[in-house]
Amino acid sequence: MMRVAIFSTQSYDKQFFNLVNASFDHELTFLEPALSAKTAILAEGCEAVCVFVNDLVDAETLKVLHQQGIHTLVLRCAGFNQVDLQVAANLGINVFRVPSYSPEAVAEHAVAMIMTLNRKTHKAYNRVREGNFSLERLIGFNLSGKKVGLIGLGQIGIAFARIMRGFGTEVLAYDPVVSDVPAGIRLVDYDTLISTADVISIHCPLNEHTRHMINQQVFEKMKDGVMLINTSRGAILDSSDAIEALKQGKLGYLGIDVYEQEDKLFFRDLSESLIADEQILRLMSFPNVLITAHQGFFTTEALTEIAHTTLQNLSDAQNGTANQNKL
Ligand code: NAI
């Protein structure tokens, strides 16, 4: 049994962690605040902390956690760009993640974004509810025969490619690491991908090489009216360059499930607040931009798997069992 403080808790975290913990028996303390150097003190009395994508686990936060005797950090997500791994290692804090839970959950959400932007079902839904049965400005395009380019061909990329093949698209992928690809996917260099694809979907991690990798110079090389989907991490896309590309009509459609400054917005109900972030307000104003608030992972199957792997990571940390999820 491990005592763990779970930061950034939402109702569904409580629901799935409590359900799955029935077969683990860890002592779970659910905390609503996000983890930061200021809130780390809330983990007092625990041995481990559990965090999500927008918890800030920087050097300062890790030091406060370490002073309180925290020796294990479990991420209930795949990406780990929010953690200073070097400092964690220096302090002897073991870090675990959930590398894979349901690649299909994110891949299927990316497809939902493509279909919504293309066939404008969100607009049609509202129109019909108001008795407006006109088709004006709802025109879409056939996906069949189009070129779809993937940046990053890992687990989510492969799941996404499998679905896109079913639509009859030509699937191109750029991945600097992968050399062996499933049938029906053509590996290409980055320039070929961005200059020939009709739809581009980002599935690589955020790191020092990928931060702002989609910027003004890259937009210039893209096809006019291209569709760009980002379900990976917000900072891979330069938001202000994306706004310019939208204004110029270069970017024909933008679907984002992640946003550079999402830590101040996402997972909260701000409907009665004044939103200070000018960039998201500008993005929200375009008719050809679809924004969802980091819900790619949000399926029953994925939440169950995330809770299970996270609790297993805690058990393995406690028992000293070898575990490939350790970073
Ligand atoms: P993965 O590790 O299986 O695949 C990532 C792939 O990206 C690897 O094949 C890697 O070689 C490739 N890659 C690395 N650097 C690259 C670069 N510079 N250009 C192109 N490709 C590059 O990861 P997985 O599970 O497919 O997840 C991908 C990303 O999706 C995660 O890093 C995470 O940021 C994001 N994600 C988003 C979720 C959401 O709810 N929206 C949920 C889960 C993950």
Side-chain angles (χ1 to χ4, degrees):
M1 193 269 289
M2 186 95 93
R3 291 189 304 275
V4 53
I6 304 184
F7 282 85
S8 298
T9 298
Q10 301 282 351
S11 65
Y12 44 85
D13 295 312
K14 237 185 218 175
Q15 181 193 340
F16 283 87
F17 270 86
N18 279 335
L19 194 75
V20 179
N21 194 41
S23 47
F24 281 94
D25 213 23
H26 292 298
E27 194 178 303
L28 311 180
T29 301
F30 294 103
L31 301 165
E32 280 181 27
L35 177 62
S36 67
K38 277 193 190 136
T39 60
I41 191 80
L42 296 171
E44 203 184 351
C46 293
E47 304 141 88
V49 294
C50 174
V51 300
F52 195 48
V53 290
N54 292 327
D55 290 291
L56 183 63
V57 201
D58 59 4
E60 213 185 323
T61 308
L62 285 162
K63 276 178 202 145
V64 183
L65 291 174
H66 181 248
Q67 279 159 12
Q68 293 178 95
I70 299 292
H71 51 71
T72 303
L73 173 68
V74 284
L75 313 182
R76 53 182 192 277
C77 54
F80 49 89
N81 51 284
Q82 73 277 44
V83 184
D84 191 328
L85 289 177
Q86 190 56 56
V87 173
N90 293 345
L91 294 170
I93 297 178
N94 294 317
V95 185
F96 296 81
R97 66 172 179 143
V98 184
S100 165
Y101 36 92
S102 175
E104 288 76 17
V106 186
E108 289 172 15
H109 188 70
V111 176
M113 297 195 98
I114 293 172
M115 293 311 288
T116 306
L117 280 166
N118 175 14
R119 304 305 297 267
K120 305 173 179 59
T121 41
H122 56 314
K123 294 184 184 179
Y125 174 80
N126 284 323
R127 279 192 193 186
V128 169
R129 281 174 70 92
E130 290 181 3
N132 176 358
F133 300 99
S134 158
L135 297 184
E136 293 295 334
R137 299 181 308 282
L138 291 185
I139 196 159
F141 59 85
N142 281 11
L143 271 172
S144 179
K146 296 292 182 301
K147 281 195 175 70
V148 175
L150 284 81
I151 301 176
L153 193 62
Q155 302 188 71
I156 296 172
I158 287 174
F160 174 79
R162 202 180 302 127
I163 303 170
M164 295 319 290
R165 291 271 297 145
F167 278 104
T169 62
E170 191 182 330
V171 179
L172 315 177
Y174 164 71
D175 192 311
V177 178
V178 168
S179 53
D180 195 17
V181 297
I185 303 175
R186 186 154 62 91
L187 270 186
V188 293
D189 60 59
Y190 189 54
D191 269 10
T192 304
L193 184 130
I194 57 171
S195 60
T196 58
D198 302 292
V199 176
I200 298 175
S201 194
I202 305 173
H203 299 290
C204 63
L206 173 64
N207 56 38
E208 68 275 20
H209 305 293
T210 63
R211 182 172 297 274
H212 285 190
M213 81 188 281
I214 307 287
N215 54 34
Q216 193 210 328
Q217 289 79 31
V218 176
F219 281 123
E220 277 167 14
K221 293 181 189 163
M222 289 182 186
K223 272 184 158 177
D224 289 341
V226 64
M227 181 187 287
L228 177 67
I229 305 293
N230 186 8
T231 56
S232 195
R233 284 292 179 268
I236 295 171
L237 173 68
D238 184 318
S239 310
S240 94
D241 288 358
I243 289 170
E244 276 314 305
L246 283 160
K247 278 164 47 181
Q248 289 159 16
K250 180 74 182 177
L251 191 50
Y253 311 81
L254 176 66
I256 52 172
D257 186 47
V258 286
Y259 171 63
E260 244 180 307
Q261 280 91 242
E262 69 175 51
D263 57 325
K264 297 189 184 65
L265 301 166
F266 287 9
F267 311 123
R268 298 181 182 92
D269 178 358
L270 301 178
S271 53
E272 299 296 323
S273 311
L274 291 174
I275 294 173
D277 187 320
E278 300 285 342
Q279 272 188 344
I280 196 109
L281 292 173
R282 186 68 180 98
L283 286 168
M284 283 157 62
S285 76
F286 290 99
N288 50 350
V289 173
L290 177 66
I291 305 172
T292 53
H294 209 134
Q295 69 177 82
F297 73 101
F298 206 52
T299 66
T300 301
E301 291 81 357
L303 288 169
T304 306
E305 191 55 38
I306 288 169
H308 189 274
T309 305
T310 304
L311 296 169
Q312 185 64 52
N313 287 344
L314 284 168
S315 297
D316 289 349
Q318 186 164 43
N319 302 330
T321 312
N323 181 321
Q324 290 191 335
N325 303 335
K326 192 162 182 275
L327 290 166

